[in-house]
DNA sequence: AGGGTTTATGCGTTTTTGTGCGGGAATTTA
DNA sequence: TAAATTCCCGCACAAAAACGCATAAACCCT
């Protein structure tokens, strides 16, 4: 087997599987490990692959898995925010959780919108405060420093005595069987109370979070009314949710 | 699984769910906890995640809103802050209003101090949140956008049901005859409630504000226990207050 | 055709890298 | 304050890489 030929084969394998192991390749092509290593090195110098200890990775690895922009998946979140804003009309009372998707929504609210936003999330409140026409109600209680949200029985009691028009949940994980799940106990308590205190529950989730599960359950699928992702509502990934009776946008 | 591949997976998880636990990851990927820890450490050094005890947090989630340091009369306020901090001891429950003097105090709190701070001022709360050992209780209600503080009957009711050890008031104007005065009706209501709900009332005021008057009265001189300015307590300007029975620092 | 040169490959040996383990320190939690 | 986690440090060990060298095939020019 010619050198060029071999390298073409290796490159093909890398692009196919996103990674190759030198140990596997050498037994596959029947050359010494040194040769494979030299090939990978050349390919790496030409920028065709990324050489790592033990083998090589596809170039696409850098772009896809290591997002360089500050806010992760910001474009997707902007898309979600736009869809969510479509559900808001003047005069509404709106409960929101925290999370970067909610923040993106807060930033994208049209300036002429007049509505009342209620939240215990400090970052979200800071965003709402910048808007000229919206009223902001802050849920008070002890502050959880890592989630930057007020948590505790006071906060929950306060939420319980409300009846908002709509509730937006930044969703950490959603799954057909497990429903909505999260990883912070305090946050889950808040979200549960929010769900009970509004007429309509809307989950905001980037597609990557769909069909993933976290340790603590927030609610079952039947408790939510609407699911918003950056995907087209017709996307096959979302069909199970449509069939479960959820409005998918 | 290659090291880089594993790190990509971890990073992906962090960005998806805002946090990861090393214990969970290691059973998920089937490597030792040490390896996960080393990975997290490397990712942290590259600035991709924030390493914390037990796992790591997403970088984007932690975007800190650093309030501007350019504060009017900062040196005087630092001096006042230092004197005020002298009145605080471990385990205290402390009510505070808003205002830049209070902010300066919040920034100067010694890191090892363990106390509970209660406030409805958003900027103050943001400062308190940065401290490692203090508990933060946020008074909830409608947010007044220009004073960045929660105002309303809910907030007042909440304050009334407390009994704090000490209360620090950022003071806009203080005068021998008119006592403490201010210019925002909502803020005044809050301050009145705070004064009633604590054992000791401390006014923080830069010297410029001493012997000035604002339209709305907060309280008479006899309601306050301590007055802190950047001046020496023996300064003639302050003597009338000493004579009125106020502790001047 | 044949000698010199370049290129490609394989084989030991030495270094480097990646990972797990144990024990003690530090930190969190009850 | 005590118990349980988690972290940190050094070590061991295996896998992989780097290096030098040997060999041989391919190439190139009289």
């Amino acid at each position: 087997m010619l050198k060029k030929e071999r390298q073409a084969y290796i490159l093909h394998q890398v692009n196919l599987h996103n990674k190759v192991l030198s140990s596997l390749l050498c037994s596959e092509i029947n050359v010494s490990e040194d040769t494979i290593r030299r090939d990978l090195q050349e390919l790496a110098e030409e920028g065709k692959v990324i050489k790592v200890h033990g083998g090589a990775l596809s170039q696409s690895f850098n772009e896809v898995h290591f997002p360089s922009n500050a806010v992760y998946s910001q474009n997707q979140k902007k898309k979600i925010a736009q869809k969510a804003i479509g559900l808001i009309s003047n005069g509404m009372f709106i409960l929101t959780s925290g999370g970067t998707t909610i923040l993106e929504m807060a930033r994208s609210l049209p300036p002429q919108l007049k509505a009342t936003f209620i939240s215990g999330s400090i970052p979200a409140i800071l965003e709402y405060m910048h808007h000229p026409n919206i009223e902001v109600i802050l849920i008070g209680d002890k502050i959880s420093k890592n989630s930057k949200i007020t948590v505790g029985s006071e906060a929950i009691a306060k939420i319980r005595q409300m009846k908002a028009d709509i509730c937006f949940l930044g969703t950490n994980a959603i799954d057909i069987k497990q429903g909505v799940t999260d990883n912070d106990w305090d946050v889950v308590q808040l979200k549960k109370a929010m769900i009970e205190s509004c007429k309509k529950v809307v989950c905001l989730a980037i597609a990557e979070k769909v069909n993933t599960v976290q340790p603590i359950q927030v609610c079952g699928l039947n408790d939510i009314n609407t699911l918003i992702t950056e995907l087209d509502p017709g996307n096959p990934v979302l069909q199970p949710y449509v069939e479960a009776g959820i409005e998918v946008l």
Side-chain angles (χ1 to χ4, degrees), chain A:
Chain A
M1 195 181 227
L2 264 42
K3 185 180 160 186
K4 261 277 171 65
E5 212 182 338
R6 195 179 54 232
Q7 292 194 356
Y9 174 78
I10 292 174
L11 191 55
H12 182 243
Q13 291 298 313
V14 173
N15 289 328
L16 200 58
H17 302 116
N18 282 325
K19 80 164 182 187
V20 287
L21 304 177
S22 5
S23 52
L24 269 173
L25 279 177
C26 79
S27 67
E28 211 172 311
I29 319 186
N30 259 8
V31 288
S32 83
E33 214 152 337
D34 277 278
T35 304
I36 296 295
R37 209 171 296 117
R38 278 187 274 245
D39 283 340
L40 289 179
Q41 200 154 8
E42 282 180 33
L43 289 170
E45 277 164 16
E46 297 166 30
K48 307 255 182 74
V49 302
I50 300 165
K51 172 108 195 60
V52 296
H53 197 96
L57 301 173
S58 147
Q59 271 299 353
S60 67
F61 232 80
N62 263 330
E63 301 140 31
V64 178
H65 296 263
F66 287 90
S68 52
N69 47 341
V71 176
Y72 183 68
S73 314
Q74 200 166 22
N75 285 338
Q76 285 105 307
K77 285 175 182 173
K78 280 218 166 78
K79 216 164 180 174
I80 293 172
Q82 285 310 322
K83 291 186 192 176
I85 286 169
L87 297 174
I88 303 175
S89 37
N90 278 326
M92 272 190 171
F93 277 72
I94 300 155
L95 268 171
T96 79
S97 70
T100 48
T101 313
I102 296 288
L103 278 187
E104 200 51 55
M105 183 182 83
R107 292 194 193 110
S108 313
L109 291 171
Q112 71 283 12
L113 174 70
K114 288 188 188 187
T116 305
F117 280 77
I118 307 154
S119 183
S121 158
I122 312 292
I125 288 287
L126 286 174
E127 286 299 330
Y128 295 141
M129 268 171 47
H130 292 146
H131 276 78
N133 289 311
I134 63 184
E135 297 256 306
V136 191
I137 308 287
L138 176 49
I139 306 288
D141 206 327
K142 194 182 141 197
I143 290 189
S144 153
K145 282 182 193 157
N146 52 36
S147 52
K148 295 177 169 44
I149 202 167
T150 50
V151 296
S153 57
E154 282 288 344
I156 288 173
K158 193 58 64 190
I159 292 174
R160 285 249 165 78
Q161 74 192 45
M162 297 182 178
K163 197 71 190 177
D165 294 302
I166 195 168
C167 162
F168 291 100
L169 294 179
T171 307
N172 234 329
I174 185 169
D175 181 80
I176 280 288
K177 267 197 277 191
Q178 306 296 320
V180 179
T181 51
D182 213 321
N183 55 28
D184 185 313
W185 197 84
D186 287 321
V187 172
V188 168
Q189 303 313 307
L190 257 297
K191 286 186 175 174
K192 278 183 172 173
M194 288 179 151
I195 291 167
E196 283 173 25
S197 294
C198 67
K199 299 178 194 153
K200 184 172 182 181
V201 178
V202 181
C203 281
L204 311 183
I206 59 174
E208 282 174 295
K209 291 181 177 173
V210 174
N211 296 330
T212 68
V213 177
Q214 288 279 305
I216 314 168
Q217 194 191 39
V218 176
C219 67
L221 271 195
N222 49 333
D223 287 321
I224 77 170
N225 302 103
T226 307
L227 171 62
I228 299 182
T229 71
E230 78 275 21
L231 302 176
D232 187 271
N235 192 297
V237 173
L238 302 173
Q239 288 325 295
Y241 297 88
V242 175
E243 281 157 27
I246 294 172
E247 178 192 22
V248 175
L249 298 180

